[in-house]
Amino acid sequence: MSNNLLQTPIEYLKGVGPQRGELLRKEVGIHKYEDLVNFFPNRYIDRTRYYKINELQNTVAEVQIIGKIINIKTVEFGKGKKRLVATFVDDIGQIELNWFQGHKWIRESLKLNEMMVIFGKCTAFNNTYSFSHPEIELLSEHEKSLRSAMQPVYPSTETLTNRGITNRVVNKMMQQLFFETQVKFQETLPGYLIEELKLIPKNAALFNIHFPKSAELLAKAQFRLKFEELFFIQLQLITKNLIRKHKIKGHPFTIVGNNFNDFYQNHLPFELTNAQKKVLKEIRNDMGTTAQMNRLLQGDVGSGKTIVALMAMLIAMDNGFQSCLMAPTEILANQHFNGLTELAKELNINIKILTGSTKTSQRKIIHEELENGTLDIIIGTHALLEDKVQFKNLGLAIIDEQHRFGVEQRSKLWKKNDIPPHVLVMTATPIPRTLAMSLYGDLDISVIDELPPGRKPIQTVHRFDSNRLKVWKFIRDEIALGRQIYIVYPLIQESEKMDFKDLMDGYESISRDFPLPQYSISILHGKMKPVDKDAEMKRFSEGKTNIMVATTVIEVGVNIPNASVMIIESAERFGLSQLHQLRGRVGRGADQSYCILMTSYKLSSDSKTRMETMVSTNDGFEIAEVDLKLRGPGDLMGKQQSGVLNLQIADLVRDKDILLLARNYAIKLLKEDAPMEKPEHQTMRVVFIEMTKKKNIWNYIS
């Protein structure tokens, strides 16, 4: 069918008109016929089965019964209130149908002693069953209509329902639309793909998603439409990646020379894990070609990303290039600087750090050394983006914690060179694979999924507030062994006053339970001046204080090997990834470390799941999967990426197998015919171009 009919404004559909058209546009974004076709039900009710009155139970399910109305009356209840009551019978028993409003027109529409189908939720009161406001239809009408066995339920809003656009009305509009279009929709996928995957045709898929004749046909329709949606998104992402590799040239680092080999053979502090070796190989391959590397490196807390970053920088040095590592905060930048300086202490490398608090005299030296090429590696915060910072030849840019830097900021780094540097993005927040493939589909992905040897897994336990005395005794025992403790309080922006009070109350009661001079306590929160924060951190890291009471400012980048216990107060107020990041602050030394999650007894089922997940696993990827199920993709990626994928029918959590399939087929197709010029790809190419115009991939990924 020509696409022109599908472009018709929705108000021209019979039964819609200007007022309903306006509502549909505002409430659910349906502007034209095409939007209505792609307005998919979010659940279905099985109308294949007719119940008998004696089979009714007090269930949440909606059921249908065939019978007739033998009596209608008005009953008063409460002060001046009336309800309309009809007695409905089948060949086995009788029930009541109730209406609390709209009596007049309902009474007029009810016919006595005619065979009818009623449909609705059944409720029981004193062992009598009744239906309130059921749907009613003459059996003869019911048998004629395009009603399918599986009744679709469409997404709706309160306004739509209040203004009379009920599910039934949407269903009628759908019937009218299919009647007008004669169910002739253009096929969008190439024939060989449909055959190979045994997909049903587009026409059949769209018809059966709205009017499924059976559960089996419904499943086929859903599979076909989900595959198609994910397939076109992956085509866009991968095409973007191919174009970038084709267009954006990088420096080929063909030499793996003295710096790299000397470090690898003589100065590695520990044997690399297989995961680290695999990732290094991927990075070396990328940097060895003329295309610019654009790779995401995912690794859990403590999986050894820093050493991989250093070795990538050494390859850049071997080829005569400089590297930079950019971190979102000063604490993190300092931590990277200390870590890298320590790793490279035996090598003859010039490494410096540039942050907001670098002194002017220092800055001058750094600027000069960057420009004359004597500075090999610079580590810093946003300060690296300033126009004053110029490189002689920047070959590799490493960016830590991706989602804290915007795309514009990354491109600022690129512009410091004629040829953009290779880019390696590191994140310590494991992202479930399906989400990563959709969000970072234009980046190549490397994963370090094993921890270095010799690390003892952190033991995590969940304790209720009533166990506090035992927990305090445990802390005293650990301090007696010379260990240090973190106690973290939640920080929830909206209620800063309350949080501050929680923290201060906590601090006071801990000070009473762990009095001077035997114990000494540090405190750290967002309202302190940076100087004071640093001073407190320093006291704790030098072992002058035993306990650090803090808000979540310590979530990232604090590395104190002697701290062996992390206590998280009101743990139910934290998200899973935050709990996992906080736990990663301990377990950095050789001793057994512990994480204690303190909560009240009142826990929602999601909170219970979070506590159980934390207790049962230390694996960040597993935790991210649970998090994705609990929160959905939007919340996982932070504010800028909420909403993540505006999908019409697919679901990233439930449909990850379909996503993998779609991605593999998209890669295969683009390898064989990237411009989509073969005859069998013609219609697909048209759809692809239309989609790219209308829905650039970044509209999907908001």
Side-chain angles (χ1 to χ4, degrees), residues 101-130:
Q101 59 219 35
H103 298 179
K104 191 169 175 298
W105 66 269
I106 289 169
R107 190 165 200 149
E108 284 164 12
S109 66
L110 296 178
K111 297 191 168 58
L112 287 177
N113 297 317
E114 291 219 23
M115 290 308 281
M116 300 193 167
V117 178
I118 62 161
F119 175 74
K121 256 189 201 144
C122 176
T123 49
F125 183 68
N126 289 343
N127 256 353
T128 44
Y129 289 97
S130 67

Side-chain angles (χ1 to χ4, degrees), residues 95 169 172 202 239 262-263 310 329 475 611 650-651 683:
I95 48 165
V169 170
K172 282 233 161 75
K202 178 88 176 201
T239 306
D262 176 31
F263 179 75
L310 173 67
T329 63
I475 294 180
M611 299 309 127
D651 174 308
T683 42

Side-chain angles (χ1 to χ4, degrees), residues 168-179:
R168 199 161 166 191
V169 170
V170 176
N171 199 291
K172 282 233 161 75
M173 287 177 189
M174 224 36 109
Q175 293 190 32
Q176 181 60 30
L177 180 78
F178 274 75
F179 173 71

Side-chain angles (χ1 to χ4, degrees), residues 132-186:
S132 295
H133 292 262
E135 278 185 29
I136 286 200
E137 200 173 14
L138 283 172
L139 183 60
S140 53
E141 288 294 312
H142 177 81
E143 286 169 343
K144 269 200 318 232
S145 71
L146 217 168
R147 281 276 170 98
S148 57
M150 308 290 294
Q151 185 78 38
V153 179
Y154 291 93
S156 186
T157 67
E158 213 176 320
T159 312
L160 283 183
T161 318
N162 290 343
R163 303 283 292 276
I165 302 184
T166 58
N167 196 56
R168 199 161 166 191
V169 170
V170 176
N171 199 291
K172 282 233 161 75
M173 287 177 189
M174 224 36 109
Q175 293 190 32
Q176 181 60 30
L177 180 78
F178 274 75
F179 173 71
E180 283 188 29
T181 54
Q182 294 293 304
V183 202
K184 289 193 173 75
F185 300 104
Q186 185 187 6

Side-chain angles (χ1 to χ4, degrees), residues 392-403:
K392 183 179 182 194
N393 52 2
L394 177 64
L396 172 65
I398 299 180
I399 297 168
D400 192 10
E401 287 299 342
Q402 155 85 1
H403 45 270

Side-chain angles (χ1 to χ4, degrees), residues 301 404 429 488 551-558 574 577-585:
V301 188
R404 311 211 179 173
T429 315
V488 177
T551 55
T552 50
V553 283
I554 62 155
E555 185 184 338
V556 228
V558 180
F574 291 89
S577 67
Q578 223 182 356
L579 290 170
H580 181 60
Q581 288 289 334
L582 284 168
R583 171 168 65 185
R585 297 297 116 219

Side-chain angles (χ1 to χ4, degrees), residues 501-521:
K501 185 176 170 302
D502 282 356
L503 180 79
M504 294 328 271
D505 288 354
Y507 177 67
E508 279 165 22
S509 74
I510 292 162
S511 304
R512 282 195 298 276
D513 292 335
F514 295 88
L516 285 159
Q518 193 183 350
Y519 300 100
S520 167
I521 303 172

Side-chain angles (χ1 to χ4, degrees), residues 374-388:
T374 51
L375 183 50
D376 304 306
I377 295 173
I378 178 85
I379 290 154
T381 52
H382 290 79
L384 293 177
L385 300 173
E386 290 167 9
D387 294 338
K388 291 194 286 286

